[in-house]
C-alpha cells in the first residue's frame, strides 16, 4: 500500500532523523495471517520498527518532489544529508534512489560505508504491475527497468534505512545474476516494504537483496519473484559469509509468489552461517529441488533459527518442506553429511506437496530441533513425514503433528525415515496413509534413541511401519490427548488450551 505524498515540511523533518531503533510489539495471533506492511508488521513476539527518531542533525533544506513516479533518470544529488549516522543522505525521489544505484555500481569510494534513509515512499513505475496471483499485467515495454544496487562484482557496504516506507513498481526482467532492490549487499538493509513489483532473473534473485553478506531486518515483500534457476527468495536470494561472520536476519515477512528451480524459499533461497528469527511466509512457493516456506537449502553448524512460521502453500519435487527444503543433509544414511545448526520454535500451517523427501518442517534434516509443529496436510511419494521426510543423526525433542500425511513408501506422522537419532516428547494425531513402511509415528525407524512418544489410536494401525533397532510409542485416546494431564506428561514447554489446536496441547510460545 502506498502512503500519501510527503510535504516539504516532512522532508525537512526526515533530514534531521537518525537511524531507526526497534522496540517490542505485540505477538501475532495463531489464528492466521494479517496483511500488514513494515510499519505495523504482525509477528509472533516480533520486534517492530520505531520508524521515527528525533535526534537533531544539520539543518539544511531537502529538495525533490517526493512520491512522483520515476522518469528513468538519475539525480545529481540526494535531497540532503552528509552520509553520517546523525545526518544520513535523505532519499525523497526515485531519481535519488537511482543515484544510489549508480554510485554503488560505479564503486564511488566516497560513498562507501555511508548512511542512507528514505524520507518518502518511492514509486518506480505507476499503475498495476502484478495482479493478486503474482502475474505480470503491466506492459513491460513501457516500464522503467530497475538496476539493482550492487552486482556480481560490487556490493553495497553502507547502511540503508527505509524508515518504514514503501518502494513500489519495481521491474526487473533479466537472465543475469544478483537481482533485487539490492543485487549484492554486505551492509545493513532495514525498515522497508517492497510492493507491486516484478522481479525475474538468474542466480541470486529476490525482492530486496539478491546476495547478502550483511544484516537484513524488518522487511516485508509483496513482489512476485521468479528465477531461471536459483537460489531465489522473497526477501533474500542467497545469504552466506566465507569470512567466518554470521549474518543477522530478523523480522522478515514474505507475501509474494516465489518460483524457481533450486534453493527456492519464501523468505530466503540458500542460507549458510546465519542467525534468523521472527520471520514468516504467507505466499505461494514453487520449486523443483530444495523448496521451503522460509528457506530452500541450508548447510553449516552455525545456523541458528527461531520463531519461524509458514502459512503459504509449498509445492516442490525433491526435498520440499513447510519451513525448509533441506537443512544440513546431503546423502541418506551418511553420518558425514554436512550438519544443520539449531532450530527452535517453528510452526507450519501451509499445505506441502512434493515427491521425494517431503515434510511439514523440512524435507531432509540433520541437526538439532525443539518446539516444532505441523498442523497442515503433507503429500508426497517416498520419505514423507509430518515434520521431516528424512532425519539422519539428528536430535529432536518437543515436537508434534496434527496434519494428515499421505505418501507411498516410508511415510510417518512425525518422520518418514528416521536413522540413528535421539528424539523425545512427541505426539501425532493426524491420519497417515501409504502403501509400505507406513507408521502413525515413523515409517522406517533405524537404531534411534527414543522416549515419550505418543500417538492417537487409529484402529489396528501401528506406530511404526518398521522398527529396526529399538524405540517404543504409546497409544492414547482422543480424550486422553485433549487433557491437562497429557500436556503435563509431555513436559513444561507444552500447555493445555482448549480453544487452540482443536484441544490438543500446544507450545507455550504458540499460545502467546
Amino acid at each position: 500500500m502506498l502512503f500519501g505524498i510527503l510535504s516539504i515540511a516532512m522532508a525537512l523533518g526526515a533530514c534531521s532523523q537518525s537511524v531507526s531503533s526497534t522496540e517490542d510489539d505485540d505477538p501475532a495471533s495463531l489464528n492466521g495471517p494479517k496483511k500488514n506492511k513494515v510499519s505495523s508488521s504482525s509477528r509472533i513476539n516480533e520486534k517492530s520498527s520505531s520508524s521515527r527518531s528525533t535526534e537533531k542533525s544539520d539543518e539544511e533544506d531537502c529538495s525533490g518532489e517526493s512520491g512522483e513516479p520515476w522518469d528513468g533518470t538519475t539525480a545529481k544529488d540526494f535531497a540532503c544529508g552528509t552520509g553520517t549516522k546523525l545526518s544520513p543522505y535523505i532519499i525523497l525521489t526515485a531519481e535519488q534512489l537511482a543515484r544510489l544505484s549508480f554510485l554503488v555500481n560505479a564503486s564511488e569510494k566516497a560513498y562507501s560505508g555511508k548512511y542512507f534513509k528514505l524520507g518518502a515512499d518511492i514509486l518506480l513505475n505507476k499503475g498495476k504491475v502484478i495482479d493478486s496471483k503474482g502475474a505480470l499485467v503491466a506492459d513491460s515495454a513501457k516500464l522503467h527497468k530497475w538496476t539493482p544496487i550492487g552486482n556480481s562484482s560490487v556490493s553495497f557496504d553502507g547502511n540503508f534505512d527505509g524508515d518504514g516506507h514503501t518502494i513500489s513498481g519495481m521491474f526487473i526482467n533479466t537472465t543475469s545474476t544478483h537481482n533485487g532492490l539490492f543485487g549484492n549487499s554486505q551492509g545493513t538493509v532495514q525498515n522497508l516494504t517492497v510492493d507491486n513489483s516484478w522481479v525475474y532473473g538468474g542466480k541470486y534473485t529476490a525482492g530486496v537483496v539478491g546476495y547478502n553478506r550483511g544484516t537484513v531486518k524488518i522487511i516485508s515483500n509483496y513482489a512476485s519473484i521468479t528465477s531461471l534457476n536459483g537460489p531465489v527468495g522473497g526477501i533474500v536470494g542467497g545469504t552466506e559469509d566465507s569470512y567466518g561472520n554470521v549474518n543477522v536476519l530478523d523480522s522478515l515477512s514474505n507475501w509474494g509468489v516465489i518460483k524457481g528451480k533450486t534453493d527456492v524459499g519464501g523468505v530466503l533461497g540458500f542460507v549458510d552461517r546465519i542467525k534468523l528469527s521472527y520471520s514468516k511466509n504467507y505466499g505461494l512457493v514453487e520449486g523443483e529441488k530444495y523448496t521451503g516456506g522460509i528457506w530452500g537449502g541450508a548447510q553449516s553448524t552455525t545456523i541458528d533459527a527461531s520463531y519461524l512460521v509458514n502459512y503459504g502453500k509449498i509445492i516442490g519435487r525433491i526435498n520440499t518442506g513447510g519451513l525448509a527444503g533441506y537443512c544440513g543433509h546431503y546423502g541418506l544414511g551418511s553420518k558425514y553429511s554436512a550438519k544443520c545448526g539449531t532450530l527452535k520454535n517453528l510452526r507450519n500451517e501451509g499445505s506441502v506437496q512434493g515427491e521425494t523427501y517431503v515434510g511439514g518442517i523440512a524435507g531432509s534434516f540433520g541437526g538439532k530441533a525443539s518446539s516444532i509443529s505441523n498442523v497442515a496436510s503433507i503429500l508426497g511419494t517416498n520419505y514423507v513425514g509430518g515434520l521431516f521426510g528424512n532425519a539422519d543423526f539428528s536430535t529432536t525433542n518437543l515436537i508434534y503433528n496434527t496434519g494428515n500425511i499421505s505418501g507411498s513408501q516410508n511415510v510417518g506422522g512425525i518422520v518418514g525415515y528416521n536413522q540413528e537419532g535421539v528424539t523425545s516428547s512427541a505426539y501425532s494425531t493426524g491420519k497417515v496413509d501409504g502403501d509400505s513402511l507406513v507408521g502413525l509415528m515413523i515409517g522406517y525407524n533405524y537404531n534411534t534413541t527414543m522416549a515419550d512418544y505418543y500417538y492417537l489410536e487409529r484402529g489396528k494401525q501401528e506406530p511404526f511401519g518398521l522398527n529396526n533397532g529399538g524405540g517404543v510409542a504409546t497409544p492414547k485416546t482422543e480424550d486422553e490427548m485433549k487433557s491437562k494431564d497429557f500436556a503435563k506428561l509431555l513436559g513444561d514447554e507444552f500447555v493445555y488450551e482448549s480453544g487452540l489446536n482443536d484441544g490438543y496441547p500446544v507450545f507455550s510460545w504458540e499460545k502467546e
Side-chain angles (χ1 to χ4, degrees), residues 15-237:
C15 188
S16 66
Q17 296 160 358
S18 64
V19 175
S20 300
S21 61
T22 59
E23 59 185 20
D24 289 338
D25 200 0
D26 291 335
S29 169
L30 288 175
N31 294 328
K34 297 179 181 179
K35 187 172 182 179
N36 299 323
K37 297 297 179 71
V38 164
S39 57
S40 59
S41 69
S42 64
R43 55 174 287 178
I44 296 177
N45 291 332
E46 181 173 19
K47 298 174 183 177
S48 66
S49 154
S50 175
S51 296
R52 308 289 187 266
S53 60
T54 58
E55 294 182 35
K56 297 293 183 179
S57 65
D58 300 331
E59 294 185 0
E60 52 185 323
D61 292 335
C62 281
S63 61
E65 297 182 9
S66 60
E68 291 297 314
W70 188 26
D71 63 11
T73 65
T74 301
K76 300 300 181 184
D77 295 293
F78 295 113
C80 63
T82 60
T84 65
K85 187 173 183 179
L86 290 178
S87 178
Y89 290 117
I90 299 299
I91 296 173
L92 295 177
T93 68
E95 291 77 19
Q96 292 167 4
L97 186 65
R99 173 174 172 78
L100 175 59
S101 175
F102 173 81
L103 293 172
V104 172
N105 295 343
S107 299
E108 291 287 348
K109 302 303 181 185
Y111 294 88
S112 177
K114 298 298 184 179
Y115 288 79
F116 304 85
K117 179 184 282 189
L118 292 185
D121 293 342
I122 302 296
L123 182 59
L124 295 175
N125 283 286
K126 65 179 180 179
K128 198 171 186 178
V129 176
I130 60 174
D131 63 16
S132 60
K133 295 183 179 180
L136 179 67
V137 294
D139 184 351
S140 60
K142 297 180 180 179
L143 297 176
H144 295 301
K145 290 185 177 180
W146 175 248
T147 300
I149 302 167
N151 52 49
S152 60
S153 58
V154 178
S155 64
F156 173 74
D157 66 354
N159 297 270
F160 185 90
D161 184 2
D163 204 27
H165 290 292
T166 297
I167 294 176
S168 60
M170 181 172 65
F171 177 66
I172 298 174
N173 192 11
T174 181
T175 60
S176 66
T177 68
H178 297 75
N179 297 293
L181 177 64
F182 291 79
N184 190 347
S185 174
Q186 61 179 357
T188 296
V189 180
Q190 63 180 347
N191 301 334
L192 177 69
T193 292
V194 173
D195 198 7
N196 186 36
S197 297
W198 169 267
V199 180
Y200 182 96
K203 186 177 182 181
Y204 300 126
T205 292
V208 182
V209 182
Y211 182 77
N212 173 67
R213 287 189 291 122
T215 296
V216 182
K217 59 183 181 179
I218 317 175
I219 303 286
S220 288
N221 174 66
Y222 293 81
S224 180
I225 315 296
T226 303
S227 174
L228 293 169
N229 37 55
V232 55
I235 309 293
V236 176

Side-chain angles (χ1 to χ4, degrees), residues 427 454 476 480-481 483-490 505:
Y427 79 85
Y454 304 95
K476 293 285 185 180
E480 287 175 327
M481 297 183 87
S483 69
K484 293 181 180 179
D485 289 339
F486 183 60
K488 291 180 181 179
L489 182 64
L490 291 168

Side-chain angles (χ1 to χ4, degrees), residues 230-243:
V232 55
I235 309 293
V236 176
T239 181
E240 56 187 332
D241 201 317
S242 59
Y243 299 105

Side-chain angles (χ1 to χ4, degrees), residues 2-7 10 66-67 120-121 165:
L2 299 177
F3 302 104
I5 298 174
L6 296 181
S7 65
M10 292 178 69
S66 60
D121 293 342
H165 290 292

